[in-house]
Amino acid sequence: WNVAGLRALMRNHPTALPDLVKEYQPDVICLQETKLQDIHVDDPKLKIKGHLLQKEGYDAYYNCATAKKGYSGTAVFVKRRKNEKNEGEDSKKSKKKQATIGSFFQPKKGTSKKKDNNDDDDGGKDNEECDHLTIDTSPIGDIDISNLIPLDVSYKLGKKAHDEEGRVITIDFPLFSMSNLYVPNSGQKLDRLGYRTDSWDADLLAVMQKKEKERNVPIIWLGDLNVAHKSTDAWNDGAKHLAKTAGTTPEERASFQRQLDSGFVDVFRLLHPDAQGQYTYWSQRAGNRPPNKGLRLDYFVGSSSLISEASDEEKKIVAR
């Protein structure tokens, strides 16, 4: 969810995130364009660190831009879970078949409140101490909940030009790695087009491929990718100005296609190959949301291995 400023969202719609959690009980929430600085995250008056979705049972991770103030930024909230199965005992590790995409669309059950004192393990994580933290111990179908507990969190692609803009949070889970991204916009005058396609996109792909190989697990990257890939991803595809508009240039579309051709899939388009009018961005200035004149700029991209072993029925599953 590109919130276009997390402080503004909390000020103007203070219950938006808690209400979302209450209704959908998501395992992970990924935000883009938070426009936060570290001083905002740490400011007790703003009630972000140690407050936002804390009592709802989520651990928070923030990556803030250092290149500019009030710019870019990402955040991830992961449902706090406790693996009681092997706690307090030495148990043999058992190999479990990798879950397919359909396994994760199961009904959720309730949570239990337990006391937990978190220790700081990374500067980006919200580990503010709280007397009572909600910890989810409920099962999800046949999925071992230990597979939904993060193993590691990172905030970089490995190059200063990328990393100082706070655009990446990557979380390694036992069975997969997930990256929340806010991909750079090429700019109104396309002044960042070359940087976007030749540097950012290429480096992102290299990092994803390296992690997939090193961990030997599927990769998922998601978020505001700032590209309307196909003709069905733009309400006015074919308009002459689109070729020179950020997000719909031939260079950006070709760059995204190169990423997909390297062993990844656009999950929404795979599940809904003929869908039209499914957009995630509308110009508020032009009043384009009511008539649904929009672009699909937000994606879930996954390793092809996530899909290859799924049954036809699983491939047709629609996210709740």
Side-chain angles (χ1 to χ4, degrees):
W1 179 10
N2 183 320
V3 294
L6 183 56
R7 286 177 295 160
L9 175 68
M10 294 173 65
R11 181 174 61 251
N12 299 326
H13 306 282
T15 67
L17 286 172
D19 287 348
L20 183 149
V21 166
K22 183 178 180 180
E23 181 173 358
Y24 295 104
Q25 300 180 48
D27 300 303
V28 180
I29 300 173
C30 296
L31 305 182
Q32 302 88 40
E33 201 175 3
T34 57
K35 297 185 179 181
L36 295 177
Q37 294 175 257
D38 289 329
I39 58 172
H40 300 138
V41 176
D42 295 331
D43 189 341
K45 294 181 181 179
L46 296 178
K47 294 186 176 182
I48 296 176
K49 182 177 181 179
H51 295 274
L52 187 57
L53 298 185
Q54 185 86 344
K55 69 178 181 179
E56 285 81 5
Y58 289 80
D59 287 325
Y61 305 86
Y62 300 94
N63 193 6
C64 304
T66 58
K68 299 179 183 178
K69 294 182 179 180
Y71 179 72
S72 188
T74 45
V76 175
F77 300 88
V78 180
K79 182 172 286 189
R80 190 178 303 114
R81 298 185 186 277
K82 185 176 182 181
N83 182 17
E84 295 185 326
K85 180 178 178 181
N86 298 322
E87 190 171 289
E89 63 181 49
D90 293 327
S91 60
K92 295 181 179 180
K93 293 183 179 179
S94 59
K95 288 188 177 181
K96 185 168 181 173
K97 184 179 179 181
Q98 175 183 303
T100 57
I101 190 170
S103 304
F104 292 90
F105 297 104
Q106 301 289 342
K108 305 297 181 69
K109 297 184 179 180
T111 60
S112 61
K113 285 191 174 182
K114 297 189 178 183
K115 187 173 181 180
D116 179 44
N117 292 322
N118 290 327
D119 296 322
D120 288 338
D121 59 356
D122 195 297
K125 181 179 177 181
D126 177 358
N127 276 325
E128 190 80 6
E129 201 170 286
C130 185
D131 288 339
H132 295 281
L133 297 180
T134 301
I135 302 175
D136 194 335
T137 59
S138 58
I140 305 177
D142 62 350
I143 296 175
D144 185 343
I145 62 170
S146 66
N147 291 323
L148 299 179
I149 299 175
L151 300 174
D152 189 36
V153 182
S154 58
Y155 303 85
K156 298 179 179 180
L157 288 182
K159 290 188 178 180
K160 182 180 178 181
H162 308 326
D163 298 338
E164 65 184 4
E165 295 189 356
R167 295 182 179 275
V168 182
I169 300 177
T170 298
I171 301 183
D172 293 335
F173 292 92
L175 296 181
F176 64 97
S177 290
M178 182 202 77
S179 290
N180 175 31
L181 304 177
Y182 179 35
V183 173
N185 188 294
S186 293
Q188 193 169 16
K189 297 181 179 180
L190 301 182
D191 51 304
R192 300 196 84 190
L193 178 60
Y195 165 72
R196 156 68 188 276
T197 57
D198 299 335
S199 184
W200 169 275
D201 284 355
D203 291 340
L204 171 66
L205 177 60
V207 169
M208 295 297 103
Q209 289 177 315
K210 180 180 179 181
K211 181 170 283 289
E212 184 180 44
K213 182 178 180 180
E214 290 181 348
R215 292 203 64 217
N216 195 31
V217 296
I219 304 297
I220 299 170
W221 78 77
L222 60 100
D224 184 348
L225 304 192
N226 265 317
V227 61
H229 182 216
K230 298 288 188 179
S231 60
T232 49
D233 296 323
W235 76 274
N236 58 344
D237 192 77
K240 292 183 179 180
H241 70 277
L242 290 184
K244 297 182 179 180
T245 301
T248 53
T249 65
E251 292 88 348
E252 290 165 309
R253 287 175 162 180
S255 182
F256 186 59
Q257 186 62 52
R258 283 194 294 272
Q259 293 175 330
L260 297 182
D261 291 342
S262 299
F264 298 94
V265 294
D266 172 353
V267 176
F268 175 84
R269 192 52 70 190
L270 178 79
L271 297 174
H272 309 284
D274 301 319
Q276 298 186 39
Q278 303 298 310
Y279 307 129
T280 63
Y281 167 80
W282 303 262
S283 172
Q284 299 301 313
R285 185 181 303 173
N288 281 352
R289 181 146 196 179
N292 196 30
K293 296 179 178 180
L295 303 170
R296 185 170 74 101
L297 300 180
D298 300 77
Y299 297 75
F300 279 80
V301 175
S303 298
S304 57
S305 60
L306 278 169
I307 304 299
S308 59
E309 295 183 3
S311 67
D312 288 339
E313 185 160 333
E314 286 176 325
K315 290 179 182 179
K316 295 177 182 176
I317 288 177
V318 178
R320 46 185 167 75

